[in-house]
Amino acid sequence: MDFNRRTAMAAGLGAAATAAVGAGSASVRAAGPSTITIPGESPTSTNIPVARDRRASGGRYLALLTAERPPSEKGWYATYRVRVPRSGVYALTAVAVAPVETPHTEAVGSYLQLSVDGGPFREVAGSQPDWYGSPAAWGDLSEMNLGEVELREGDGAFSLRVVEPTVLDNRIVYVLSLDHLVLRPLPGGPALRTAAVPRHRAGEPARLRLTLNARATRPHPVHYAVTDYHGQRVAAGRAAVPAGRRTTTVTLPADLPPGHYRIHADDDVTSTFARLPVRRAVTRTGTADNPFGVNVWASSLVPPSRLDEFAAALRDMGAGWVRDGQSWPAAEPAPGAYDTAHHDRITRTLRARGLAVLDVLSPAPEWAMTDASLPLPADLRHAYRYARRLALAAPEALQLSNEPDVDTTRSTGDAHAAFVKATALGIKDARAEPPLVVLPGIAQSGPFQDLMLANDVVRYADVWAFHGYPDPADQDDPEFPGAAEDQHALARRQGAGDTPLWMTECGAFLTTPSDLTPAQERVQARYLVRSMVEGLAAGNARQFWFAAPPLHDDGVWFGLLDRDFGPLPAYSAFATLTALLGAARFAGPVPRLPTGVRGFRFDDGCGQQVSVLWAMARHTRVSAPGVAYDIMGRRIERSGPAVVASPDPVYVVSRGAAASARVRGAADALRRPGRGSLSPAEHIVLSQRYAARNAAPGKEDGDAPPPHGYRLGRRTRMSLDVYNFGDRGRYVTVAAEPMGAGWSVRPVSVADTRVWVPAGGRVGVEFSVEAGRSVRRRVDRRLVFGARLDGGGVVPGSVALAHLK
């Protein structure tokens, strides 16, 4: 999926928001009874410049945009004196640039940190859905809710700073545009702000922490209730926050089974928590152990201060892999000038939590592209060098682009095939044990992928990748798409049946104006289990859910966490799935099932067989001996061998019926390590190059009707670029295959078809493509070039489509 990069600053400053705040300065304006407006351009001290704009409230605003690191430990900062007319809790808002893209602008800022009266700085670490809904103010600025702060009457200090850069399209910079801040008093006394239970496993204490938005002036009573996934109340009680404090802790019943729980408390405070299964998922001891992954796009969707805890939550959920990526334009702002430190920190944090990383290459920098090459570099040596650089950072795998078949460019499958070869060679030449090379994530099978495969790209890759989503119109009971079956059949036809297939995106399009409803949460949870199970049963070596962080984009919710980074039911369903299925070696369908019931058996790698069962519509009793668990991991008590299959999947675990050695061997082969080194001939890459006027018609989101190839005139000059990514120079002889049907392809100079290509070099061989009078317009024809090395060695060919426009 190619979604706009939209991250989040939002309601809730965490502990910082409720820290006591000081007040007052002559530069602060009154905007109503007890309301305080703080002009951004009037700090008492700052190292951030001020810019003019007549749209700003005072004609000026605080404007930071720099790649320069902060000059001191203070960061890029601004401190304000404020005068507070009365003590109390204030809502804090700002007109500023959000740290994620919003519907009205693609501009993003850095995450803010706030401090009150010299207290510690803490990040305003809201989620993408919080910031995404911020109303437009002016220009790229939004009206943002920054949460609540407790202020004392009198004078004090209010400080903000930026210490983390953000990623723009082509650079990594520190960004803050601030028009003004507003503090509005809230009526009443202290109120409950959060009710939270830290993530834990069954058998461990479940402690409910109740936090007010201000210190209690006297004992503050709080009523709470806890319900499970099925809506049943499992705990309730009353607690009191002592006078002079903001928090108190309550221990919940120790016998709560694993699952998803929701807390309902006073002041309309709700939250969720996950009680994880006792058994942990398979740990990463190599790239073959854990088949479960999630998409994260951490630099866009996870605030810096939350990253480590977020990574821990994924590992506890049982994910073995994360799919992430960085902006190539930002990582290489000028040729050979690499700046990957920002993304490398993210990768190190994820890997430190035991997660294997699949990094995705983004479109090329503007300096590397031409109108004819978009979104790829015009010179593939840039792709080779960049991929080699990424491989040196040692992610477990690198994917060579995301959904190129449905982007908005007119690029073709043959151009992407040459790009894949160049980047794959860069990765494999980088290290003795390079990352796995993963083919581009294809959104849908069709002419683009067919052409890419015709260019013999599979030999350069370790993994075949694709995506699959259900019909967006099916909101109540989405069905697993046929993408997996189609891709496996295509791989077999290509003779690539031994290449592992990864579904690097799967998920559900759940439409909502804000958050998921309880009914939608159940749909998401059950579809997560079904899609993962059906994907693994189809032969996929890995399944990556889209997505893990809170994500609400263009009216669709994708994340496994809510806007407060609390777990949704699908999070607990994921944890149950990974804990029970273990290594998840598919052993076959469950036999003799009643009509309307689906079932799949897996070997968990620890001597147990796990059957996953669900009914497509009505509840149905199924005979299934063993220990049964529901979708949340709670053990199902029953008096006989029958279990009730419903739309929510259930698990039945039995011993002594593990998959055969043949099944285990076949499953492990799907997750084998990467291929060996490539030959000298395979280090030669052929790429057809045409003028921009000959570009293909366009993909129209993958659904464009034919023709799909380059648009040629009666006589067209083009170049066959011959790249040598080997370690020494080579003589290469190139030739065009006959096109037939009235077409002819001739070298401009026959003497130039045998060329010397130095190591790391590129040589263009000119050809003339001519369409005779019998050629029909707008009918694609294959245009094929081949090559041989002196002394032997056949170079993988270049296959394009072309038609008379």
Side-chain angles (χ1 to χ4, degrees):
M1 174 166 301
D2 190 8
F3 65 99
N4 287 333
R5 191 173 52 89
R6 293 167 178 161
T7 20
M9 268 167 66
L13 297 179
T18 53
V21 186
S25 159
S27 65
V28 174
R29 302 191 298 268
S34 302
T35 296
I36 306 166
T37 298
I38 307 172
E41 71 275 14
S42 301
T44 56
S45 62
T46 187
N47 56 7
I48 300 175
V50 171
R52 295 183 179 275
D53 194 302
R54 57 185 178 82
R55 296 172 295 179
S57 58
R60 297 186 304 162
Y61 67 103
L62 212 60
L64 174 68
L65 176 59
T66 182
E68 181 183 349
R69 294 183 181 276
S72 69
E73 294 182 357
K74 292 183 178 180
W76 296 106
Y77 75 95
T79 297
Y80 301 88
R81 300 297 299 176
V82 291
R83 181 177 295 279
V84 178
R86 62 179 178 84
S87 298
V89 179
Y90 287 71
L92 175 62
T93 60
V95 171
V97 62
V100 301
E101 292 182 15
T102 63
H104 67 87
T105 179
E106 295 181 357
V108 298
S110 300
Y111 280 87
L112 278 176
Q113 293 185 353
L114 296 180
S115 168
V116 175
D117 280 349
F121 279 94
R122 292 188 176 90
E123 186 176 83
V124 186
S127 65
Q128 182 269 353
D130 287 325
W131 307 115
Y132 183 71
S134 300
W138 58 268
D140 293 328
L141 278 62
S142 303
E143 298 178 10
M144 301 191 303
N145 177 13
L146 303 185
E148 299 172 354
V149 293
E150 182 183 9
L151 303 176
R152 295 193 302 269
E153 182 179 349
D155 293 338
F158 188 88
S159 300
L160 57 86
R161 72 178 182 183
V162 168
V163 297
E164 288 281 350
T166 189
V167 180
L168 300 187
D169 288 336
N170 59 354
R171 49 188 171 159
I172 299 173
V173 291
Y174 298 85
V175 182
L176 172 62
S177 296
L178 174 64
D179 185 342
H180 61 270
L181 299 159
V182 177
L183 291 157
R184 293 183 174 85
L186 297 178
L192 186 66
R193 183 171 64 88
T194 61
V197 176
R199 189 177 60 259
H200 61 283
R201 295 193 176 275
E204 298 174 352
R207 294 188 173 93
L208 171 61
R209 184 177 178 86
L210 304 167
T211 304
L212 306 179
N213 60 4
R215 289 184 178 85
T217 56
R218 54 181 176 273
H220 187 99
V222 178
H223 295 83
Y224 65 89
V226 180
T227 56
D228 64 12
Y229 172 75
H230 304 283
Q232 299 298 313
R233 177 177 287 193
V234 296
R238 179 179 181 276
V241 179
R245 294 179 55 187
R246 291 194 183 89
T247 65
T248 192
T249 300
V250 178
T251 300
L252 298 178
D255 59 350
L256 291 179
H260 174 267
Y261 294 91
R262 186 175 300 276
I263 304 164
H264 311 263
D266 293 342
D267 301 310
D268 295 323
V269 171
T270 62
S271 63
T272 65
F273 70 92
R275 190 163 167 90
L276 301 171
V278 173
R279 181 181 180 183
R280 296 175 182 269
V282 173
T283 57
R284 178 174 64 84
T285 57
T287 59
D289 295 344
N290 188 310
F292 303 104
V294 286
N295 286 263
V296 298
W297 308 116
S299 64
S300 296
L301 298 175
V302 183
S305 65
R306 290 188 182 270
L307 181 61
D308 185 65
E309 166 59 18
F310 172 75
L314 298 187
R315 180 65 267 180
D316 286 348
M317 183 183 72
W321 284 76
V322 291
R323 183 171 180 252
D324 199 33
Q326 66 179 313
S327 165
W328 182 358
E332 192 181 6
Y338 298 106
D339 183 5
T340 62
H342 180 72
H343 183 70
D344 290 346
R345 289 200 303 273
I346 294 174
T347 299
R348 285 195 299 270
T349 300
L350 296 170
R351 298 186 80 232
R353 287 295 185 174
L355 298 164
V357 176
L358 168 61
D359 261 345
V360 184
L361 272 69
S362 81
E366 186 175 350
W367 58 259
M369 295 188 294
T370 64
D371 289 343
S373 73
L374 184 78
L376 304 172
D379 187 335
L380 295 179
R381 289 174 293 184
H382 294 307
Y384 174 91
R385 287 189 287 264
Y386 178 63
R388 184 169 182 149
R389 169 71 183 221
L390 294 185
L392 291 174
E396 279 69 21
L398 280 163
Q399 189 165 26
L400 304 185
S401 66
N402 180 61
E403 298 188 350
D405 54 322
V406 294
D407 66 22
T408 57
T409 72
R410 294 186 289 176
S411 59
T412 56
D414 63 290
H416 275 268
F419 171 78
V420 165
K421 295 174 184 178
T423 51
L425 287 166
I427 294 166
K428 290 180 178 293
D429 291 348
R431 304 164 52 89
E433 295 184 6
L436 296 176
V437 172
V438 182
L439 288 176
I442 294 295
Q444 55 196 50
S445 59
F448 183 96
Q449 185 185 21
D450 292 341
L451 188 56
M452 192 177 72
L453 295 171
N455 280 267
D456 208 5
V457 295
V458 177
R459 70 166 71 190
Y460 289 84
D462 304 305
V463 176
W464 178 307
F466 65 99
H467 299 165
Y469 290 88
D471 185 346
D474 192 352
Q475 293 287 302
D476 298 327
D477 192 15
E479 295 185 6
F480 187 65
E485 182 179 344
D486 294 343
Q487 292 291 321
H488 281 272
L490 181 58
R492 288 191 295 271
R493 291 197 300 271
Q494 291 284 325
D498 63 338
T499 301
L501 270 71
W502 293 7
M503 199 174 201
T504 52
E505 284 186 23
C506 67
F509 294 92
L510 297 177
T511 303
T512 175
S514 181
D515 302 305
L516 295 179
T517 65
Q520 287 177 311
E521 291 178 356
R522 293 178 70 91
V523 170
Q524 184 193 46
R526 65 171 63 114
Y527 182 73
L528 181 141
V529 176
R530 292 182 185 180
S531 63
M532 290 283 183
V533 165
E534 293 199 62
L536 295 171
N540 297 340
R542 284 200 173 76
Q543 291 279 123
F544 289 77
W545 178 263
F546 188 92
L551 175 58
H552 183 242
D553 187 72
D554 199 22
V556 178
W557 188 280
F558 294 103
L560 298 179
L561 305 177
D562 64 24
R563 67 174 58 241
D564 297 319
F565 280 86
L568 291 169
Y571 176 93
S572 295
F574 197 117
T576 299
L577 175 75
T578 59
L580 292 177
L581 258 59
R585 301 177 177 127
F586 180 56
V590 177
R592 299 181 295 278
L593 289 174
T595 301
V597 176
R598 306 204 66 184
F600 303 88
R601 283 179 175 169
F602 293 87
D603 171 9
D604 74 348
C606 298
Q608 296 185 122
Q609 179 179 272
V610 184
S611 297
V612 190
L613 304 161
W614 65 85
M616 302 306 294
R618 60 187 179 86
H619 291 40
T620 306
R621 293 179 65 83
V622 179
S623 178
V627 180
Y629 300 88
D630 70 8
I631 188 174
M632 293 288 111
R634 182 179 63 179
R635 183 166 177 168
I636 300 172
E637 300 298 334
R638 52 184 179 157
S639 57
V643 65
V644 177
S646 74
D648 279 351
V650 297
Y651 304 85
V652 179
V653 181
S654 58
R655 292 186 176 276
S660 67
R662 180 186 61 80
V663 171
R664 293 196 302 272
D668 289 340
L670 291 174
R671 301 168 194 169
R672 60 176 172 71
R675 301 182 190 274
S677 59
L678 295 165
S679 70
E682 290 168 322
H683 276 74
I684 305 296
V685 175
L686 306 180
S687 178
Q688 300 183 38
R689 179 158 49 92
Y690 298 83
R693 63 179 176 273
N694 301 125
K699 293 191 281 288
E700 296 182 5
D701 200 29
D703 296 323
H708 299 106
Y710 297 105
R711 298 176 294 180
L712 308 186
R714 287 291 178 185
R715 179 176 294 177
T716 303
R717 289 280 292 269
M718 54 80 64
S719 175
L720 179 69
D721 286 343
V722 184
Y723 292 88
N724 180 6
F725 294 111
D727 56 3
R728 66 183 181 88
R730 301 278 181 176
Y731 277 106
V732 183
T733 301
V734 301
E737 293 185 8
M739 290 182 69
W743 288 93
S744 64
V745 188
R746 299 182 179 88
V748 172
S749 172
V750 175
D752 293 337
T753 56
R754 180 175 179 265
V755 294
W756 171 259
V757 189
R762 176 183 70 170
V763 175
V765 181
E766 300 295 319
F767 283 84
S768 176
V769 184
E770 299 180 16
R773 293 189 178 276
S774 62
V775 171
R776 296 171 55 193
R777 294 184 183 274
R778 297 182 57 78
V779 176
D780 282 328
R781 193 77 180 170
R782 284 166 64 106
L783 178 51
V784 182
F785 290 91
R788 297 185 66 88
L789 300 183
D790 276 16
V794 177
V795 175
S798 172
V799 183
L801 296 177
H803 62 269
L804 181 62
K805 59 184 175 183

